[in-house]
Amino acid sequence: MGYYLTTAIAYPNGAIHIGHAYEYIAADTIARFKRLDNHEVFFCTGTDEHGLKMLQAANKLGITPKELADDNAKNFRDTQLALGSTFDRFIRTTDEDHYAASQAIWRKLEEAGDIYLDTYSGWYSVRDEAFYTDDETEVVDGVRLSKETRTEVTWTEEESYFFRLSKYQDKLLELYKNHPEFIGPDSRRNEIASFVASGLKDLSVSRTTFDWGVPVPGNDKHVMYVWIDALTNYITAAGYPDDEEKFAKWWPADVHIIGKDIIRFHSVYWPAFLMSAGIELPKRVHAHGFLFNSGEKMSKSVGNVVDPLDLVDAFGLDTLRFFLFREFSYGHDGSYTKDSIITRKNSDLANEYGNLAQRSLSMIQKNCDAQVPQPGELTEADEKLLALARAVPDTARRHVDTQALHLYVEACWKVLSEANRYFSAQEPWKLKKTDPDRMATVLWVTIEVVRIISILIQPVMPESAGKILDLLGVPAGAGEAGAKVLPTAVDSGSGAEAMGAVSASAAIGVAAGAAYA
Ligand code: ME8
């Protein structure tokens, strides 16, 4: 089954920051989870290179916007790779196929009678690349700001094409009512529905005062409003308009992962454009919260922009990836400090996961000839723990499908906590002398749980979970029909026997612990 997911495409007008990384790592985790669960995945990300914001940033540096975009798009791409992102396409809105797709959708909107020429006068925020009405702005200390985003707006008056957004008000309200899953998390839906219900004005969709954009077909004086071309990236990547086979395979997208500040563009404008063009709507738009550094919004002027690779250097990639979903609800804002990362690393990773793996594996190494032990008859406590672990794949699937990544990780950690309690209560180190068969069973149950959770958590921590699976002798093959794929964890009745020898490395304990030391 195919699964198409996207991130927002970032403005490459500056450096990539931890807020961007939060989105990329989340999307990558979902992509990896879906692959593990035997879906064919298409994961698209990229950069949004047109518009006044890019032009102004380039002017300040004395370079062309294309030069600025080339430099920074490379940085965004390389950083995503360094964050472990497994995207299938990195789209740049200056790509040739994207010009073709943007012009094709424009013509569709025109054919539907939804584009007309008029004059725009109103407030424009370059920071947001958004238009605001008079009452959506206010003057503070002599500067006019958008009330919602607090960014400066400037008066703009020019000939412009308009899109008949007002025509889609009722259809959009119907969409939110009939497909409540279209906007996630649930809490965002009402906010959007009441914005639409309060009345939609037609949208200015072209500019004439600069030319850094996709030319409007048939009128070279105009370039498209940057959001028209930006949103279109999602269908360009899926093959629109020429590659019909590809488009049929991937579109509609399963989910657009975005931040909360751009939900209006994705859940109001984008579906309206698609309805007008007669193109199917994406199945879901999920907005995550904002990430703050020690409670402060990151900004270049405050000088607290955090380079995600600095955090990777300081804590390790898997720790960072894990921390983001263990610490915050994927939908709400979150504030982190270096101390909060260290605490999670020590308590959740080193203690609950690393130690459990290390203690059970080193006992097997020493006492069971480094072979997965044969379990004897299972007690109620054994059965209870195994049942808990075997229920997690379905729970995880459910949470990943609604992008509740924190609940997916939490479900895994609940089982690990339970397994730690079980291990302490069973005291296998004492059984060694009194009842070696029972010791073997306890060790088998424990590593069976470690195996299931390690398989499940690979999308979040590919390297560390992979290392533990290697120690368990679980063969690689995630994404194929190998033993690391998710369904194995479900039909795991005979799971541990299939593992074979645990790593014969004398460093077993060290290596298992080292994943989180
Ligand atoms: O909005 N925490 O680009 P962008 C979490 N080009 N997420 C954050 C964040 C933070 N502190 N700061 C930004 C744009 N983001 C448009 C998108 S899509 C067709 C066009 C998120 O570079 C933000 O919400 O300003 C968005 O999803 C993404 O990073 C890119 O932001």
Side-chain angles (χ1 to χ4, degrees), residues 17-37:
H17 59 65
I18 184 68
H20 293 123
Y22 187 39
E23 183 168 305
Y24 300 144
I25 293 173
D28 179 63
T29 296
I30 298 168
R32 286 176 186 261
F33 189 95
K34 287 288 171 184
R35 286 188 206 111
L36 190 65
D37 205 12

Side-chain angles (χ1 to χ4, degrees), residues 427-465:
E427 302 181 310
W429 53 92
K430 285 191 184 159
L431 295 169
K432 198 165 91 179
K433 290 203 181 97
T434 55
D435 189 349
D437 286 349
R438 178 64 197 148
M439 175 198 71
T441 306
V442 170
L443 292 176
W444 178 83
V445 170
T446 307
I447 61 162
E448 176 62 358
V449 172
V450 170
R451 182 185 74 91
I452 292 172
I453 298 303
S454 299
I455 289 172
L456 277 169
I457 207 67
Q458 286 178 103
V460 179
M461 302 184 296
E463 206 190 324
S464 324

Side-chain angles (χ1 to χ4, degrees), residues 171-332:
K171 286 201 176 98
L172 288 167
L173 289 171
E174 249 170 64
L175 166 70
Y176 310 144
K177 189 160 157 250
N178 297 339
H179 292 281
E181 75 288 353
F182 180 70
I183 301 175
D186 290 347
S187 52
R188 299 266 169 216
R189 193 182 323 117
N190 289 344
E191 177 188 314
I192 289 298
S194 57
F195 167 74
V196 171
S198 72
L200 291 177
K201 294 204 173 60
D202 290 352
L203 183 69
S204 167
V205 287
S206 73
R207 307 296 305 268
T208 54
T209 51
F210 59 93
D211 64 0
W212 179 237
V214 181
V216 165
N219 189 345
D220 277 358
K221 237 171 66 195
H222 290 249
V223 290
M224 291 179 197
Y225 169 43
V226 63
W227 271 99
I228 290 245
D229 117 57
L231 290 161
T232 300
N233 94 83
Y234 300 132
I235 54 175
T236 308
Y240 184 82
D242 294 328
D243 193 340
E244 287 173 19
E245 203 180 316
K246 184 174 180 190
F247 195 59
K249 177 167 180 186
W250 295 115
W251 193 259
D254 290 271
V255 66
H256 295 317
I257 303 288
I258 55 159
K260 64 173 188 178
D261 58 326
I262 54 172
I263 191 157
R264 187 185 294 181
F265 298 93
H266 284 79
S267 59
V268 181
Y269 301 170
W270 181 226
F273 297 156
L274 291 169
M275 284 172 186
S276 169
I279 300 172
E280 265 188 275
L281 308 186
K283 292 182 199 154
R284 182 170 167 90
V285 172
H286 180 86
H288 58 77
F290 262 44
L291 210 56
F292 300 101
N293 178 8
S294 305
E296 282 177 8
K297 190 167 178 172
M298 270 168 285
S299 89
K300 276 182 215 142
S301 49
V302 181
N304 63 346
V305 177
V306 175
D307 181 341
L309 296 185
D310 287 347
L311 293 177
V312 171
D313 285 346
F315 302 104
L317 177 57
D318 280 8
T319 300
L320 176 66
R321 291 176 64 109
F322 170 78
F323 170 77
L324 293 174
F325 308 117
R326 184 69 178 128
E327 186 81 359
F328 310 115
S329 293
Y330 202 64
H332 295 116

